Amino acid sequence: QVQLQESGPGLVRPSETLSLTCTVSGDSIITYYWSWIRQPAGKGLEWIGRIYDTGITHYNPSLNGRITLSVDRSTNQFSLKLTSVTAADTAVYYCARGPHYYGSVTWAFDIWGQGTTVTVS
Amino acid sequence: QSALTQPPSVSGSPGQSVTISCTGTSSDVGNYNRVSWYQQPPGTAPKVIIYEVSNRPSGVPDRFSGSKSGNTASLTISGLQAEDEADYYCCSSTDRATWVFGGGTKLTVL
């Protein structure tokens, strides 16, 4: 079965760049969209952005151009970089598959990683 | 982009039904049938329970149902069970090819 695993530093200094990687196992990263979603402690979910295996991206405009997503087909991974972080970026960061128009579950985030906590301090 | 509007909390007794609303605009919920719902028990990752307004993934009980009218989508849970206690989030695509979540609703089973 398809599994996603986030990895990266748990602590980032203010004004620096947060970098996370999501490793996809059990299936190819090709022909799917892949997203990042975050959740501050005790708060709701926020969609960060998504990337297609060809590199097409869509970003949350409220993050003011601080996001860059990339994909590496050779390692079956996709990554997030968030620049100029502040305490407001402290959250659990999830990677997820989707949304896309095909598959058994369409236009939804159908598979999620377990999440990784990132603290900006 | 603004979050979709959900009630902060709902509650019900075992066996009863509850409905959670999710209100957006004509630029998101009202313009697309790409509304999904997620269940998140404490300390776990979200899990999709409804996609494209009213479809259930394999393995999700038919006690969970979704609908939409205008700019408002709804999730109904019938025959409430203790295991349904969790946070629930709606999500929709938008006119800008982005995705927006609701603020979340905490369901308490009394």
Side-chain angles (χ1 to χ4, degrees), chain B residues 10-34:
Chain B
V10 296
S11 63
S13 300
Q16 291 186 330
S17 294
V18 295
T19 296
I20 300 171
S21 61
C22 169
T23 301
T25 69
S26 57
S27 296
D28 39 64
V29 174
N31 202 26
Y32 302 95
N33 285 328
R34 300 172 187 173

Side-chain angles (χ1 to χ4, degrees), chain B:
Chain B
Q1 56 190 20
S2 299
L4 306 176
T5 301
Q6 297 181 231
S9 64
V10 296
S11 63
S13 300
Q16 291 186 330
S17 294
V18 295
T19 296
I20 300 171
S21 61
C22 169
T23 301
T25 69
S26 57
S27 296
D28 39 64
V29 174
N31 202 26
Y32 302 95
N33 285 328
R34 300 172 187 173
V35 176
S36 51
W37 289 89
Y38 301 84
Q39 178 191 59
Q40 185 181 34
T44 69
K47 167 192 165 185
V48 60
I49 55 173
I50 295 288
Y51 66 97
E52 285 199 76
V53 176
S54 60
N55 297 295
R56 283 185 308 277
S58 174
V60 174
D62 60 6
R63 303 185 295 103
F64 294 88
S65 62
S67 62
K68 192 186 86 166
S69 178
N71 295 338
T72 298
S74 298
L75 171 72
T76 298
I77 309 171
S78 58
L80 267 180
Q81 300 181 4
E83 67 203 48
D84 299 332
E85 190 160 287
D87 293 328
Y88 291 83
Y89 294 90
C90 60
C91 182
S92 173
S93 64
T94 79
D95 284 352
R96 301 175 70 176
T98 61
W99 296 81
V100 62
F101 282 95
T105 299
K106 180 178 180 60
L107 168 64
T108 300
V109 180
L110 302 171

Side-chain angles (χ1 to χ4, degrees), chain A residues 35-111:
Chain A
S35 290
W36 287 96
I37 295 153
R38 69 181 182 179
Q39 184 173 36
K43 297 189 178 180
L45 301 169
E46 179 181 33
W47 178 76
I48 297 170
R50 69 171 181 169
I51 185 166
Y52 195 57
D53 73 284
T54 57
I56 296 171
T57 54
H58 300 102
Y59 296 144
N60 186 331
S62 66
L63 289 169
N64 298 321
R66 296 191 294 131
I67 317 165
T68 301
L69 300 188
S70 59
V71 63
D72 188 337
R73 298 186 195 185
S74 66
T75 59
N76 234 33
Q77 296 176 325
F78 62 102
S79 299
L80 163 70
K81 289 190 187 301
L82 180 65
T83 61
S84 305
V85 297
T86 69
D89 295 309
T90 295
V92 175
Y93 284 76
Y94 295 100
C95 58
R97 191 174 75 174
H100 31 247
Y101 64 89
Y102 48 86
S104 60
V105 176
T106 49
W107 297 119
F109 307 99
D110 62 344
I111 299 173

